[in-house]
Amino acid sequence: MDYCNGVQGFINFATSIPRNFTGGSIRYPCRKCQNKNYLHPDVVMMHLLHKGFMENYMCWYAHGELIVRNKSMGERVVGSTSSASNMHGVANDNSNPYRNMIMDAMTMN
């Protein structure tokens, strides 16, 4: 059930940024499709639930999340390219529990 909630958190984040939409669809980062195509968010959710996220998709760069590379801090996710994510409860400090849960699940084999 936690993974399902995490996938829903990802869908909420991805759909909170208007520039992610192309005809009401978003890119889908499942293992098979790897952000190459667009589908309706409900279909993306089903793909992610059945196929899982593509490998190493730790920063949702294709969905508006930014990563900062700093020599002293290494890499760190810092939030979205749009303030719209804040209106939907997605924190810019990487404290979204659903996102963290998905990231944890992605690193497990």
Side-chain angles (χ1 to χ4, degrees):
M1 210 40 145
D2 287 337
Y3 181 75
C4 294
N5 291 334
V7 171
Q8 184 61 57
F10 166 77
I11 297 294
N12 291 344
F13 175 82
T15 58
S16 72
I17 301 173
R19 74 176 179 84
N20 284 340
F21 283 100
T22 299
S25 298
I26 60 172
R27 290 182 185 266
Y28 52 107
C30 76
R31 290 178 191 267
K32 179 182 176 191
C33 307
Q34 300 191 1
N35 282 325
K36 293 177 184 161
N37 298 307
Y38 290 78
L39 286 175
H40 186 273
D42 292 339
V43 179
V44 172
M45 178 173 229
M46 295 310 295
H47 272 244
L48 294 174
L49 290 174
H50 291 285
K51 299 175 185 174
F53 278 84
M54 60 191 250
E55 191 174 337
N56 297 321
Y57 195 52
M58 305 297 184
C59 173
W60 300 338
Y61 58 85
H63 298 89
E65 198 167 44
L66 295 175
I67 192 162
V68 173
R69 288 178 174 84
N70 181 314
K71 288 181 183 179
S72 64
M73 294 175 57
E75 291 185 348
R76 163 174 111 90
V77 175
V78 295
S80 76
T81 58
S82 168
S83 61
S85 65
N86 289 334
M87 296 185 327
H88 294 273
V90 177
N92 279 342
D93 64 354
N94 196 22
S95 65
N96 181 336
Y98 297 121
R99 183 187 178 288
N100 294 339
M101 181 175 31
I102 290 174
M103 285 182 59
D104 289 344
M106 288 175 52
T107 59
M108 295 171 36
N109 292 328

